[in-house]
Structure formats: structure tokens, C-alpha cells
Amino acid sequence: MAFGVATEATSAIIVALVLPTIVGIGGFAADYSSVHSGQLRLQSVIDSAALAVAREMTLGPIDPARAQSLAEQYVAANIPANTPYSIAVTAALVEANKAVKVSGQQKVATPFGVLERM
């Protein structure tokens, strides 16, 4: 029987050709999900830290060093226990020391390493 007209095992050949693509898409989806949930967790902690510093500002004026210290303390006390990487927090007083801007960065570990980010 000639190779070009043989029909036995065509399913196995198709699966062998398509399987790496399917596994790659699954890995990308798992990594994307991990990155997205990490971003949501980080945003939640940073937003809460900003509210904590703002609450402290209602008690009286604070200086930039105190705002930074409060934000770092709040984040350290409220990060989830299973967080593998620390969060770098930056707090700055804005609008003539009437408001605070808190930002944070965290490295994200992904299951497959496709979307490793800082």
C-alpha cells in the first residue's frame, strides 16, 4: 500500500500535530489567569493601603516619610499568606499634601512561565 493513499492511523498523526498547540494554549491560559489574579490581589492590597494612609491623614497632617511607613506597614500586615514574592510599595503625598497616591509592584510566579513579569 502506498504511503500517500494509506488511511490507517490518520487520527494519530493529526493529534500528534495539533497536541502541542493545544497544550501551549492551555499553558498560556493558565499563566494569564495566574497573572490576572495576582494583579487583582495586588490592586486590592494597594487600594486598602491608600485608604489606611488617607484615614490617618484625617487625624492630622503627616509627612511623606510617615505616609511611606504607614503604607509599607499596612501592606506587610495584609498580604495573603501564600504570596511568594514581596510587594514594593511607594506612597506619595499629592495635591498639596491633601491626598495620597500609593502604588506597588510585585513579581508574579506563573505555573508554566510563559508570562513571567515583574
Side-chain angles (χ1 to χ4, degrees):
M1 185 172 275
F3 180 74
V5 293
T7 58
E8 296 84 18
T10 55
S11 298
I13 293 171
I14 291 172
V15 168
L17 292 173
V18 173
L19 189 60
T21 303
I22 293 171
V23 170
I25 290 170
F28 179 81
D31 281 357
Y32 180 80
S33 174
S34 177
V35 167
H36 186 67
S37 68
Q39 286 176 337
L40 291 176
R41 253 192 331 265
L42 176 63
Q43 187 67 48
S44 175
V45 170
I46 294 299
D47 287 347
S48 297
L51 289 172
V53 174
R55 192 175 318 116
E56 185 75 20
M57 291 172 69
T58 62
L59 302 176
I62 63 173
D63 61 348
R66 176 81 173 130
Q68 178 69 29
S69 174
L70 286 169
E72 290 172 353
Q73 289 172 6
Y74 186 86
V75 169
N78 292 292
I79 57 173
N82 62 350
T83 303
Y85 299 108
S86 63
I87 298 173
V89 182
T90 304
L93 297 176
V94 294
E95 297 181 18
N97 294 343
K98 301 284 186 204
V100 64
K101 179 181 178 182
V102 179
S103 59
Q105 290 184 339
Q106 181 183 31
K107 182 175 177 161
V108 176
T110 58
F112 294 96
V114 177
L115 295 175
E116 290 290 324
R117 285 200 230 177
M118 290 293 273

